[in-house]
Amino acid sequence: MSAEAQTQPLWKPGRTLLEQSNLKKYMDWLFVKKGLYFRSYHDLWDWSVTDLEDFWESLWNYFNIKSHDLYLEVLQRPLTGFIGTRWFTRSKLNYAEHIFRNKTKDRPAIIFQAERSEPVEISWETLEAEVAAVSTWLKQRGVKPGDRVAAILPNIPEAVVAFLATNAVGAVWSSCSPDFGKPAITERFAQIEPKVLFTVDGYVYNGKTYDITTFAGELSAALPSVADTVLITNIFSETRPDRFTAWDDILHFENFGIDFEPVAFDHPIWILYSSGTTAKPKAITHSVGGCLIEHMKALALHQNVKPGDRYFWYSTTGWMMWNYALSSLLCGATLVMYDGAPAYPSSQVLWTLAERAKITHFGSGAAFFIASMKSGVSITSERLNHLETIGSTGSPLPPEAFEWIYKQVKKDVWLISLSGGTDVCSAFVGGCPLLPVYAGEIQSRMLGARIEAFDENGKPVLNELGEMVITQPMPSMPIYFWNDEDDEKYVSSYFEMYPHVWRHGDWIKITDRKSVIIYGRSDATLNRGGVRIGTAEIYRAVESIPEVKDSLAVYLEKSNGEGTISLFIVLAKDKELTEDLKKQIKDTLRTQYSPRHVPDTIEQVGDIPYTINGKKMEAPMKRILMGQDPAKCINIDTMRNPESLKAFI
């Protein structure tokens, strides 16, 4: 990264954004309606995390959230802590109903492309008719508010239809990507006892076809609670179990439109799952109202999504970004979906989609942008005239990737790096249309998210590496974990280190300009002589070396309080780990960062272990290398590449 990039912004908002963004309009509204004037975004943020009731109530009014009953209290807090916090008590609403407030004949609801097809448009009229049919069928099959509906579906429009229908009747949605293994899906869905299961006959990925009809039948039989299994024909397989209901038959179900079921603000909307790298995945349950108001805030104010925009985020149905992207429909945007591999038949495929579908907001995991940068994809920015924002999440986006986007993709695009998680189905830190973008930095802490960096004494620090904590509740925090008696798992997940303060598990630095830098997971953070080092710094330096394709750094503690840093690297084709290359790696780390960053050992491996959602499995590898039983450290069904474990066990 150039020295200039550290002091000079890569992007600044233009006059139009400064004066006409949704965030600016919201600030103007606060002045007119509430008499509140804020000189800067940071002043607005201070108010949003200090006066919680007024802030969240202002969003309720600004977004004109429809409730079928008046709320009594904006915020009802427990005697201590976060768990049990209640928002907008007595209100009754429906998430899907808010989405269909935006139906129009002027633009499609969804644009969809699969690996083997051309983009197709799905009108709001078609979406409404299909949701009406499926929701009517669900009711006739006895699905009631609170019942669970599970899905093994790829990122196809039918998944959106099934979710909206489920939500319309007040049931609870939960989905897994079909590339999950049967044990992984079974242990997730067995916890929540779904009444209905939606599945496909198969899916296509990376040019290969995978038939899962037999697997779906076995799963259905393994879940005694499932009364109906619905099969969506996706790859035109010839076999269909007799006990399955055909999706096409449901679409012809007679209905009289969508009957939206109002539910309480804290009624469950969906169940997401922790990665399950160690114990059984935790079933994280979110509320209808919490996700509704949070997603409106996050997408409209922090990403400036407007009616008529086209919103895309590359995801599977097993990642919370699927739910997050779907909420762009709340803002009146057209949802752009892609099902398939991000680099098949070439690394250009998603960039070509951005051009052809005239995408306004283009998002993916950081790994995608790093891969695009390394593969040298050819992008003609003139063809991306409609592109206003690029979003990145999943892992820290290195400064080099920031600079590559501005040099090779589009010089005037607003790059939004954001970070949050399945835990809140949103982001804690992310974009701001009023602030500049600096290489390697996330622009801001998001409104209503009181993020601090705590030192080892539990005190907030500025411009120092610290533990990321959230010190005030947010509506989209989990209402509970499914089947978690006395909230034991909930407490152990977030509140053990600091009483009544949410510890998220990331190392961060809040800079003097109030931007945020994330250094990696705190439970995998390296410690050299008391100095904490984020793994992202190691990867940034090591993976800049052409011979290095991928890497994993692990800190192994010793009983005497000391420890060693072990670096595992994957090399480019036909390359070998020579002493000269080891020296180059060490010299690069020493030069770019410090002697403390230099690993004690460097080993070549065939592959780095990743979760299905594309995250390096740092903490499980650390536990295995410390001598723990691999079977207790990791569930291979949650892995993208389980064969990579051989080098570590």
Side-chain angles (χ1 to χ4, degrees), residues 1 4 40 44 58 92 98 133 158 164 193 226 283 297 342 435 483 545 567 642:
M1 180 175 64
E4 182 183 6
S40 68
L44 175 66
S58 76
K92 290 187 178 295
H98 284 78
E158 290 86 346
L164 291 174
E193 299 177 298
V226 173
K297 178 208 78 177
L435 298 175
N483 291 333
I545 298 171
L567 178 66

Side-chain angles (χ1 to χ4, degrees), residues 397-501:
L397 188 68
E400 294 79 9
F402 273 75
E403 293 186 327
W404 174 81
I405 285 171
Y406 281 99
K407 289 178 181 176
Q408 302 296 331
V409 181
K410 196 175 184 188
K411 64 181 180 181
D412 61 347
V413 76
W414 170 22
L415 175 56
I416 301 172
S417 179
L418 57 118
S419 181
T422 300
D423 322 79
V424 289
C425 197
S426 187
F428 293 118
V429 293
C432 176
L434 309 181
L435 298 175
V437 171
Y438 290 87
E441 299 180 10
I442 297 174
Q443 285 176 286
S444 66
R445 293 173 284 184
M446 289 172 65
L447 296 176
R450 186 154 197 149
I451 304 300
E452 305 284 358
F454 271 15
D455 65 13
E456 57 273 12
N457 298 315
K459 302 297 182 184
V461 292
L462 188 66
N463 218 26
E464 291 181 25
L465 197 63
E467 188 85 46
M468 178 176 167
V469 299
I470 300 92
T471 62
Q472 292 286 2
M474 296 170 61
S476 64
M477 285 176 171
I479 41 177
Y480 44 73
F481 289 2
W482 202 268
N483 291 333
D484 180 23
E485 290 187 17
D486 302 320
D487 294 313
E488 289 183 12
K489 294 178 183 176
Y490 198 165
V491 171
S492 66
S493 295
Y494 310 113
F495 301 107
E496 282 192 337
M497 179 172 283
Y498 306 108
H500 312 313
V501 171

